[in-house]
Amino acid sequence: MNEVQETIASHTVNTSATIPAGAADSRRAPATCPQAIVIRDSGGDMTAGLQALGIAVAVACEDYRPAAREYRDNHRVDRVIDEPVKSLDTTMLPKVAVLATTADSRSGTPERRRSPMQPLIDAFTLFLQLYAEHKCEIMVACGPKKILAPRNRTLLRRLQKEAAKHGLALHVVRAEGADYGPHTQTRVVLVVAPADRTLPDHIRPVAATRNAGDLPLPLTLPKPDTPTATLGEVLDAHAAEDLYHDEATTQMYLSRATAGTARLVEEAVQATKADGSTVFLCGYNAGRAFRTSPNPKQCPPITGPAGGSSRMVVLEIRSGRVRSRKLSTDELNRLGGRPENHVAPSWSQTYRSTSEGTIRPMFTDVLTHVVLPLLGRGPAPDGEPEKRTGRPAPKSGRRGRRGTSPSAPRKPGQGRAHALATCARLTVQQHIDVLLGRDGRADNENGPVAVPALPDAVDRGAVGAASAALHAVPFALLRFAGIAAPIGLVEGFCGVGDAHAAAKGAAAAYACALAVDIDAEKGEAYTARHGDGIFVCRDIRGVKAADIPRDVDVVWVSPCCQSYSSAGKKTGRDDVRGELLFEAIRIMRELKEDGRPPRVVIIENVDRLLHANNRTTAAALLRDGIDCGYFGSAMIVNAEKWSAQNRRRAFVTFIRNDQDIPAGITGTPSRHWHGNPVRDTYDALPADYQQSMVWLQMPTPKGPRPSLRSILDTDVPDRYWRSKAWIRKYIEGNLKGLSKARYSALREESRKKRCVIVRPLARRGRGPEVTAYTDKALCLSGYGGGSSQQMILVFDNGTVRARKYTPRELNRLMERERVIELASYNKTYKASCDGLVVPVVTHIFDTIVTPVVLGNRVMEALRQEAAGHASGTLRRLSA
């Protein structure tokens, strides 16, 4: 994926050029024309429309592999990425004029079937980030008319609200396929463009359309002048015999026909008996009823899965005889406005791309009448970006000061703690001048000194080098005034000490002063790992402020997650373990009353803590922390970026509101860390609490990611393998639906290719599930050795074996520096379920905690020196 992104980044794009005349007949537009990014365009309908108007496609993204293959076979676009949109890094994408996407999808990957509107959300999030970076101007999303259904209006209003915050406007265009041919497909096109750009006067709202609240009225396109073909002219007079159904299937369709369809069939039978002609009727199953178009010259919208009962059926009535059949690939291509030479891997993929695509002439008209006029002004000139307002970072309120977004106005020196501390060429006096606002920029003998900022994506070594620079500044500020002292850390619910291990691996020096857990056996493992004198076996509810050592900067708490996890009973705060989440708030409050509140408090839990069913709890947690005098933040981090495990965890972070937050670690919501659950939790907070929320940012890690195969042992003891009888009873006997199909397909593939295939197996309450993951383990879950323990399926030359993870593999999944094995396998497994992926926590320490703590130590020392309360060390150094 990184190599693909680097290839994309190396492609230069010029979006300011005009559209060349005569480019409509060119399959690939010249390199000087506007460029576009296309997402989920398996049939290439949007790509063909863009290229017909001289807009070249720079990047195409299609995460469904058969669709990506179809796209490659029909379009000469070199940069086709078959990865999810969420995995794209905007820094690796070129500057374009248009982002085009499919707005709704009910087929393809299992994720799309579960959430058909998710593709629109993902594409919209990507567009907002590109727009904020001045890399894209307009977004075009095509989908069915049900996008405007009442159940989707809340989502549309949310998109409209987010667009308005960025200075964008949402336009809704409704196009009718009946104006272009027999296919009566209705498409709704959402166009997001800068609000100061207007549409032509001939684009009018659809007549007699009721306004859905504050949503814009759908616009209509001028009707084309060319005559449209009829259904009989598009369908083949004599189709291939393998397309026809047997007599029983035909009778089944006729028996389910509605009254109107039965009347049309009877009239066609009588007419064809008389003159020997042929009549075609297209229909589909609507529930248990078979329904055709009331106009025999038209075809209903092609919908439904390619292999489902609702797919399109042709009734061919010839000389009084009725036969049913499928649409051929050529007929599907004609109905979609595609050329005859359009190819696809299978008939099912052709049907799928036709049902989800857009009639090509219709989309071309949308581009001509709507998108091109909006692009008339072109992107902002280089060096003169248009003023754009993103989702505003909460403004400073009555609870204190905070770091601001880079785009927001900032006082000299505010929020620059990390930048000042890592700038090795500044003198002490220059630091003081910036702090006191005497000069907004810093100079030395060589001219202006650039204030360093965290890059968008850096590797671990670069982060470590930046943090290590805090100990090498020339004015020795860290050696004096106690700034270089280790960062004090306290662990609650410490388990076997993963947070302590992460702190040891951080670039800055950390010292764990206290670790608390109620499990004595985990405490023994903690002591063996980190030494004596730290662990205390105690209920967290019995820990008071007096028990916590002084000079503690960071408190890390990982409360019990059974009440919120999908592997638990989902009882929330009704369970006593669910209330333990608020023990961190109690400790924060007691330490504040004692006059030594920690600088940073981080609460880690499962990502479902921020989902809809627990959102009230998450909002209450953030409110209580903000009331303690802190800024609040939340993010969801998936450990798959650092380990071989797909493990999503929520990190609720509180930063004391008298601390300067470095500008490099705050900004607008990021698709990497602030998904919909985080943003919905933010929206659930009252407005005055939203003012005290920050959007913390981290650079995304680079380099190869560990795969499942890389952490597996080659020689596994027999005690971890399951018997054949167990596999037949508990796996093969309980597989259903897609999991059963995957199981059979993988088994057959290993037999044919004579290879070994490894897949993770989820054992949930509803039965085993063979997942689509190929190189990542599932999130370790299941307490006390329950039925939801994750396992591994090994398909070896047609035979199937199943086994548990070994203790060594469990520790590798958590990226621990050593193997931790407790008294029994179940306890070892549970310690991994409760644990932390070590490099994830190290990354949080390096990129968020260290800059805040050490940066503010520098700022506090500078304030004391400027006020004349210091010992004079800094004045002597500057002299």
Side-chain angles (χ1 to χ4, degrees):
M1 181 62 190
N2 291 330
E3 295 179 1
V4 176
Q5 290 179 339
E6 290 173 4
T7 303
I8 295 170
S10 65
H11 181 67
T12 59
V13 180
N14 179 9
T15 59
S16 61
T18 58
I19 300 172
D25 297 330
S26 173
R27 190 169 182 186
R28 295 188 71 183
T32 58
C33 69
Q35 306 271 336
I37 295 175
V38 175
I39 300 174
R40 300 184 182 94
D41 185 25
S42 59
D45 302 322
M46 293 186 294
T47 298
L50 291 166
Q51 292 176 341
L53 296 177
I55 302 177
V57 176
V59 182
C61 178
E62 176 55 72
D63 58 345
Y64 186 51
R65 296 299 174 84
R69 179 180 171 187
E70 180 186 8
Y71 189 89
R72 287 191 179 99
D73 290 343
N74 293 279
H75 295 279
R76 291 180 293 174
V77 177
D78 298 332
R79 298 160 190 86
V80 181
I81 304 174
D82 53 359
E83 296 287 343
V85 177
K86 294 181 180 180
S87 66
L88 296 181
D89 189 349
T90 57
T91 60
M92 298 298 179
L93 295 176
K95 185 177 180 180
V96 296
V98 179
L99 185 146
T101 182
T102 302
D104 182 89
S105 175
R106 285 194 176 273
S107 62
T109 61
E111 291 77 10
R112 293 195 199 178
R113 287 192 291 273
R114 287 194 293 267
S115 181
M117 295 298 289
Q118 191 62 39
L120 174 61
I121 299 172
D122 295 343
F124 185 77
T125 304
L126 176 64
F127 168 71
L128 289 185
Q129 294 193 8
L130 290 172
Y131 185 81
E133 297 172 11
H134 306 282
K135 298 177 71 173
C136 189
E137 292 295 321
I138 292 178
M139 172 182 165
V140 182
C142 297
K145 61 181 180 181
K146 63 184 175 183
I147 290 179
L148 300 180
R151 65 177 180 271
N152 294 325
R153 288 175 185 170
T154 301
L155 173 63
L156 292 179
R157 290 189 180 97
R158 179 177 173 183
L159 297 183
Q160 185 182 25
K161 179 180 177 182
E162 290 294 327
K165 291 180 180 179
H166 288 73
L168 298 166
L170 174 66
H171 305 281
V172 181
V173 181
R174 178 167 175 163
E176 300 292 341
D179 297 335
Y180 301 87
H183 189 193
T184 58
Q185 178 193 67
T186 300
R187 278 291 180 260
V188 172
V189 183
L190 306 179
V191 181
V192 183
D196 58 349
R197 303 186 186 180
T198 58
L199 290 171
D201 294 335
H202 66 274
I203 305 297
R204 302 295 183 186
V206 178
T209 302
R210 185 175 60 182
N211 189 9
D214 53 351
L215 292 177
L217 288 173
L219 306 174
T220 184
L221 300 174
K223 291 190 176 182
D225 299 331
T226 56
T228 59
T230 63
L231 182 62
E233 296 171 349
V234 171
L235 299 184
D236 295 329
H238 299 280
E241 194 62 31
D242 58 349
L243 295 175
Y244 288 90
H245 303 142
D246 55 24
E247 187 66 22
T249 303
T250 302
Q251 293 301 320
M252 182 267 293
Y253 287 124
L254 294 176
S255 64
R256 293 182 176 182
T258 61
T261 299
R263 185 181 69 255
L264 290 175
V265 172
E266 184 61 25
E267 292 174 356
V269 168
Q270 298 299 329
T272 55
K273 275 184 180 180
D275 55 14
S277 61
T278 303
V279 175
F280 297 99
L281 296 174
C282 282
Y284 57 95
N285 278 322
R288 291 186 172 273
F290 181 76
R291 190 186 308 275
T292 63
S293 172
N295 186 350
K297 295 183 179 181
Q298 293 180 337
C299 169
I302 298 177
T303 58
S309 60
S310 60
R311 66 187 181 189
M312 191 65 60
V313 174
V314 178
L315 292 183
E316 183 182 292
I317 308 170
R318 190 188 304 273
S319 301
R321 183 189 177 189
V322 182
R323 298 183 71 187
S324 64
R325 65 173 177 88
K326 301 189 296 183
L327 288 164
S328 67
T329 54
D330 290 340
E331 292 168 341
L332 289 169
N333 289 331
R334 295 187 201 115
L335 289 173
R338 299 171 181 166
E340 293 287 344
N341 60 354
H342 184 91
V343 295
S346 62
W347 179 90
S348 297
Q349 178 56 31
T350 304
Y351 187 96
R352 172 191 173 275
S353 61
T354 304
S355 65
E356 295 184 357
T358 305
I359 298 175
R360 291 192 179 184
M362 182 169 66
F363 184 74
T364 304
D365 273 7
V366 172
L367 294 175
T368 303
H369 295 288
V370 179
V371 177
L372 290 186
L374 292 174
L375 280 175
R377 290 178 53 189
D382 292 339
E384 297 180 8
E386 295 176 359
K387 292 183 179 180
R388 299 173 180 177
T389 57
R391 179 170 186 159
K395 302 176 183 178
S396 57
R398 56 182 176 83
R399 291 180 174 84
R401 295 178 293 110
R402 51 159 294 211
T404 58
S405 159
S407 61
R410 185 171 62 237
K411 295 181 181 179
Q414 180 187 357
R416 291 189 177 183
H418 179 59
L420 294 177
T422 58
C423 189
R425 292 184 293 174
L426 293 182
T427 65
V428 174
Q429 190 59 49
Q430 288 167 347
H431 275 289
I432 297 174
D433 289 343
V434 172
L435 173 68
L436 297 180
R438 297 172 185 164
D439 189 358
R441 60 191 181 92
D443 298 308
N444 65 5
E445 66 275 11
N446 297 322
V449 177
V451 178
L454 287 175
D456 292 331
V458 296
D459 58 16
R460 171 75 184 282
V463 174
S467 298
L470 292 169
H471 299 277
V473 290
F475 51 88
L477 187 60
L478 301 181
R479 284 193 294 112
F480 296 90
I483 293 175
I487 298 174
L489 174 68
V490 169
E491 283 186 274
F493 303 89
C494 64
V496 296
D498 290 329
H500 191 167
K504 286 182 177 179
Y510 282 77
C512 187
L514 177 66
V516 180
D517 200 284
I518 200 172
D519 192 327
E521 191 169 352
K522 289 182 181 178
E524 294 176 2
Y526 187 104
T527 301
R529 190 179 183 185
H530 300 300
D532 297 326
I534 304 175
F535 179 82
V536 175
C537 184
R538 186 183 300 178
D539 190 330
I540 192 70
R541 292 171 291 188
V543 177
K544 306 299 181 183
D547 301 323
I548 298 177
R550 305 194 70 84
D551 299 327
V552 170
D553 296 293
V554 182
V555 175
W556 183 285
V557 184
S558 300
C560 302
C561 62
Q562 295 96 321
S563 302
Y564 307 104
S565 172
S566 59
K569 296 183 179 180
K570 308 180 187 68
T571 52
R573 298 185 70 175
D574 294 336
D575 188 341
V576 65
R577 294 173 296 185
E579 283 291 336
L580 296 178
L581 197 68
F582 291 84
E583 287 300 307
I585 304 298
R586 178 186 62 81
I587 293 174
M588 291 165 58
R589 189 178 295 113
E590 291 183 2
L591 287 174
K592 180 182 178 182
E593 293 173 354
D594 198 33
R596 49 193 182 102
R599 297 179 191 268
V600 181
V601 178
I602 300 179
I603 302 174
E604 179 269 345
N605 213 281
V606 293
D607 64 319
R608 293 187 66 87
L609 174 66
L610 302 178
H611 285 210
N613 51 342
N614 298 316
R615 191 159 296 140
T616 302
T617 300
L621 183 69
L622 287 166
R623 289 198 307 270
D624 291 351
I626 292 172
D627 287 337
C628 290
Y630 285 77
F631 296 123
S633 179
M635 63 173 62
I636 293 179
V637 181
N638 195 336
E640 69 171 359
K641 297 180 176 66
W642 291 267
S643 72
Q645 184 181 180
N646 184 61
R647 187 179 183 90
R648 295 168 58 85
R649 284 296 181 267
F651 296 89
V652 179
T653 305
F654 296 102
I655 300 176
R656 212 170 65 204
N657 61 12
D658 63 347
Q659 303 291 289
D660 285 294
I661 302 178
I665 64 172
T666 60
T668 56
S670 166
R671 62 186 176 89
H672 294 293
W673 323 117
H674 310 118
N676 290 332
V678 178
R679 302 185 191 205
D680 291 341
T681 302
Y682 172 89
D683 292 338
L685 290 170
D688 56 336
Y689 286 92
Q690 290 181 359
Q691 301 298 319
S692 296
M693 289 288 291
V694 295
W695 301 101
L696 295 178
Q697 309 286 342
M698 297 191 301
T700 54
K702 296 180 66 176
R705 302 178 183 180
S707 64
L708 177 60
R709 279 181 174 270
S710 68
I711 63 100
L712 296 181
D713 290 330
T714 55
D715 187 13
V716 179
D718 293 339
R719 65 179 179 273
Y720 296 108
W721 292 95
R722 296 296 190 181
S723 65
K724 293 182 179 179
W726 188 93
I727 294 174
R728 286 194 298 268
K729 180 178 180 181
Y730 291 102
I731 297 181
E732 295 178 350
N734 293 304
L735 288 173
K736 299 177 182 178
L738 188 59
S739 288
K740 188 174 183 179
R742 283 199 186 116
Y743 184 87
S744 301
L746 291 171
R747 187 172 186 173
E748 185 64 17
E749 182 182 354
S750 70
R751 184 189 65 80
K752 287 183 177 180
K753 296 184 178 180
R754 297 184 179 181
C755 62
V756 177
I757 302 175
V758 179
R759 290 290 186 274
L761 175 73
R763 300 190 60 226
R764 311 185 192 280
R766 60 179 180 273
E769 178 181 340
V770 181
T771 68
Y773 290 99
T774 57
D775 62 345
K776 292 292 180 183
L778 302 175
C779 178
L780 295 176
S781 62
Y783 291 87
S787 62
S788 61
Q789 277 190 2
Q790 313 300 335
M791 304 188 71
I792 301 173
L793 280 179
V794 180
F795 300 87
D796 187 358
N797 198 17
T799 62
V800 184
R801 303 182 70 190
R803 69 173 179 88
K804 301 184 289 186
Y805 289 101
T806 66
R808 185 184 302 272
E809 292 167 345
L810 291 172
N811 286 276
R812 287 173 184 161
L813 287 174
M814 307 307 293
E815 293 290 328
R816 290 169 177 154
E817 77 284 359
R818 55 179 290 182
V819 177
I820 299 174
E821 192 167 359
L822 303 185
S824 65
Y825 177 84
N826 285 342
K827 292 182 178 180
T828 303
Y829 184 91
K830 184 178 183 295
S832 295
C833 295
D834 295 340
L836 302 166
V837 178
V838 175
V840 175
V841 183
T842 300
H843 194 70
I844 293 175
F845 282 154
D846 279 342
T847 58
I848 294 179
V849 179
T850 298
V852 169
V853 175
L854 294 189
N856 278 280
R857 287 183 182 179
V858 172
M859 299 299 286
E860 289 167 3
L862 292 173
R863 291 191 184 98
Q864 292 178 1
E865 178 67 25
H869 299 310
S871 61
T873 301
L874 301 184
R875 282 193 293 272
R876 289 195 299 271
L877 286 173
S878 62

